[in-house]
Amino acid sequence: MKHRAHAAFYLKLLNAFLASLLVILLVWISLIRLGIAFNFSFLVDFRIRIVQGFLMTLALSACSLFLSLLIGIVAAILRECGILFLEYLASIYVNFIRGTPLIMQIYLFYYIIGTAWGVENRFVSGVLILSVFEGAYIAEIIRAGFSDLEKTQLEAAKAVGFTRRQTVRLVILPQMVASTLPPLIGQFSSIIKDSSLLSIIAVIELTQTMREISALNFRLFECYLFLGFLYLVLTLPLSLLGKQLEKRFSYEH
């Protein structure tokens, strides 16, 4: 049994290596056909600016992660609260945000709503815009997790005399964590990637930093390839964590 597991692991590793090799080969052949030769040495001269942009992206993502989770929880509760006005209000918010592109919302909230209410700080504006956008998706993840609760377990908790607090702590929360944590991790990864669009309102995060560097030396390909690498550094661990959590909380395991 152990040998079979090892064989399966090495087979997966081999296939992953071959797939990666194929992608690298395809890119390499394309570069040869275009006559492009990369030189990343100039990035050393901009290392301080790149680190600052990287840290700004981390700060934006961390603040937006916390606030969007709070907004998502509130919106999910309102959609199931039983008060018709609040349900419609939350439903309009979720459907509007999910049905329109983020770039339109950035312009709407920054140049119209933000200006009308005197929100001038670009970092604060960026966090608010990202949080409102991601909060709508988190609300649906949480609402779906609540809908998937095992009703028989709730009935069993009631039958054995659990109080409401005990039912929430011992029955509802464990099931909610199991069903919502993996997709939430994926959504947190989206927050990092979506923060790149804040460059259109001149928030000096990672994308805006690399855009300014490429404008100085015209090394467009190198700048954006390195930018993609830096985003992978941030998002790939989250993707791997999400897969591990999905396996950990799967009833099949």
Side-chain angles (χ1 to χ4, degrees), residues 193-211:
K193 292 181 289 185
D194 291 337
S195 67
S196 63
L197 285 176
L198 295 178
S199 61
I200 65 176
I201 57 171
V203 177
I204 310 299
E205 42 70 67
L206 199 52
T207 299
Q208 180 65 14
T209 299
M210 297 307 293
R211 182 180 292 175

Side-chain angles (χ1 to χ4, degrees), residues 78 81-90:
L78 291 181
C81 69
I83 301 174
L84 204 57
F85 171 75
L86 295 179
E87 286 186 5
Y88 279 137
L89 191 63

Side-chain angles (χ1 to χ4, degrees), residues 180-193:
T180 62
L181 197 53
L184 281 176
I185 294 293
Q187 197 62 42
F188 295 156
S189 179
S190 295
I191 290 175
I192 296 173
K193 292 181 289 185

Side-chain angles (χ1 to χ4, degrees), residues 25-221:
L25 186 63
L26 179 63
V27 173
W28 182 62
I29 292 173
S30 300
L31 292 174
I32 291 176
R33 289 174 62 88
L34 292 172
I36 296 174
F38 287 142
N39 179 12
F40 293 93
S41 60
F42 71 94
L43 291 172
V44 177
D45 299 329
F46 299 96
R47 59 188 180 278
I48 295 176
R49 291 182 63 180
I50 292 172
V51 170
Q52 290 173 341
F54 188 85
L55 293 177
M56 176 61 78
T57 293
L58 278 178
L60 279 168
S61 302
C63 294
S64 301
L65 186 154
F66 174 77
L67 188 56
S68 63
L69 185 59
L70 183 62
I71 292 173
I73 291 172
V74 172
I77 291 173
L78 291 181
R79 293 199 73 181
E80 301 291 336
C81 69
I83 301 174
L84 204 57
F85 171 75
L86 295 179
E87 286 186 5
Y88 279 137
L89 191 63
S91 181
I92 290 170
Y93 156 67
V94 170
N95 290 324
F96 174 77
I97 295 297
R98 285 166 59 91
T100 55
L102 176 56
I103 191 169
M104 182 278 289
Q105 295 169 31
I106 291 173
Y107 283 116
L108 173 66
F109 288 116
Y110 182 74
Y111 289 107
I112 298 178
I113 298 177
T115 302
W117 290 91
V119 182
E120 298 179 355
N121 187 291
R122 295 178 190 274
F123 178 85
V124 173
S125 298
V127 169
L128 291 174
I129 291 167
L130 264 185
S131 301
V132 169
F133 178 76
E134 303 293 345
Y137 290 87
I138 291 174
E140 288 300 278
I141 291 172
I142 293 173
R143 197 164 73 96
F146 185 77
S147 301
D148 290 341
L149 286 175
E150 293 285 344
K151 300 300 188 292
T152 54
Q153 293 191 31
L154 297 178
E155 293 170 1
K158 186 176 181 180
V160 298
F162 277 7
T163 63
R164 179 170 294 184
R165 180 176 296 179
Q166 288 175 320
T167 301
V168 170
R169 182 169 60 88
L170 300 174
V171 180
I172 294 177
L173 280 182
Q175 290 188 65
M176 288 285 290
V177 168
S179 61
T180 62
L181 197 53
L184 281 176
I185 294 293
Q187 197 62 42
F188 295 156
S189 179
S190 295
I191 290 175
I192 296 173
K193 292 181 289 185
D194 291 337
S195 67
S196 63
L197 285 176
L198 295 178
S199 61
I200 65 176
I201 57 171
V203 177
I204 310 299
E205 42 70 67
L206 199 52
T207 299
Q208 180 65 14
T209 299
M210 297 307 293
R211 182 180 292 175
E212 292 176 356
I213 292 172
S214 68
L216 289 173
N217 51 49
F218 305 105
R219 292 281 186 175
L220 189 66
F221 293 112

